[in-house]
């Protein structure tokens, strides 16, 4: 037999052997990117600021809901209302419902926009932090826990990533309130 017949067989064997050698050397870790992000001081602070920013409009929506409930109850229980009074209350309820819908839609749109802005910036930063961690630890692959069917807990970098993010991007402390006189 000639050597040419064995060349493809040798090449396939070499590739198979190289694949096993390379597979044994791959270093892998997992991370829950969402958990790592949501546990950062920056995201917690941004969430608190967003809640504080949206609170007045949420309270306004609650007040409108209470007014609507009062009007609805009055229409159902007050049998002494004239037709004109009923008509006026129904129109007032429609106006309040329109205002409430508008406030709720605006709140939802603003909350979504704020979240997207915060998470977009933080996600980019977290990816950079994870890449740096992978380089420092000599990792070849970092996989999100959402796509990993199984992993050993020792491979999870989530808490380390959060700590590294907070160290890399520290959140300035809120200024102290001036003393009251």
């Amino acid at each position: 037999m000639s050597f040419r017949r064995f060349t493809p067989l040798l090449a396939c064997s070499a590739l198979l052997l190289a694949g096993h050698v390379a597979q044994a050397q791959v270093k892998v870790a997992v991370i829950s990117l969402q958990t790592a992000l949501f546990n950062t001081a920056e995201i917690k602070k941004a969430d608190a600021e967003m809640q504080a920013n949206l609170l007045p409009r949420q309270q306004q929506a609650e007040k409108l809901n209470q007014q609507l409930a009062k009007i609805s109850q009055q229409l159902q229980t007050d049998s002494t209302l004239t037709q004109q009074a009923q008509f006026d209350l129904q129109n007032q309820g429609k106006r309040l419902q329109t205002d409430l819908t508008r406030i709720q839609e605006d709140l939802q749109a603003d909350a979504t926009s704020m979240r997207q802005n915060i998470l977009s910036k933080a996600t980019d930063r977290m990816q950079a932090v994870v890449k740096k961690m992978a380089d420092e630890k000599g990792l070849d692959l970092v996989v999100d826990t959402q796509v990993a069917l199984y992993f050993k807990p020792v491979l999870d970098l989530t808490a380390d990533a959060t700590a590294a993010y907070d160290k890399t991007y520290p959140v300035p402390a809120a200024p102290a309130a001036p003393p009251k006189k």
Side-chain angles (χ1 to χ4, degrees), residues 47-156:
D47 184 53
E49 288 173 352
M50 182 180 75
Q51 295 301 326
N53 186 348
L54 298 177
L55 184 62
R57 287 189 284 166
Q58 289 171 335
Q59 291 171 335
Q60 185 181 9
E62 288 174 20
K63 184 178 175 184
L64 288 175
N65 261 329
Q66 291 169 352
Q67 290 174 346
L68 279 169
K70 185 177 176 182
I71 288 172
S72 177
Q73 183 178 5
Q74 189 176 3
L75 284 169
Q76 291 173 1
T77 59
D78 192 348
S79 59
T80 63
L81 289 174
T82 65
Q83 283 186 337
Q84 183 62 41
Q86 288 178 351
F87 179 76
D88 290 344
L89 280 175
Q90 288 171 343
N91 281 338
Q92 184 182 0
K94 286 179 185 178
R95 282 191 305 274
L96 289 175
Q97 184 61 52
T98 301
D99 292 345
L100 177 61
T101 301
R102 201 171 291 134
I103 288 171
Q104 289 173 330
E105 288 173 352
D106 289 348
L107 266 171
Q108 184 64 39
D110 289 349
T112 299
S113 175
M114 288 176 189
R115 277 189 202 104
Q116 286 175 344
N117 289 339
I118 294 164
L119 288 176
S120 175
K121 181 175 98 173
T123 299
D124 291 345
R125 288 177 163 186
M126 181 59 81
Q127 287 174 346
V129 166
V130 170
K131 183 181 179 334
K132 182 179 177 189
M133 285 177 60
D135 290 343
E136 289 172 356
K137 293 179 183 257
L139 299 172
D140 299 309
L141 178 66
V142 179
V143 179
D144 196 297
T145 57
Q146 292 181 356
V147 296
L149 294 176
Y150 170 78
F151 61 90
K152 293 180 181 178
V154 71
L155 298 175
D156 192 354

Side-chain angles (χ1 to χ4, degrees), residues 31-48:
I31 183 173
S32 173
L33 191 62
Q34 182 177 5
T35 301
L37 272 173
F38 289 156
N39 286 337
T40 62
E42 180 180 28
I43 292 295
K44 289 177 182 178
K45 180 182 179 199
D47 184 53

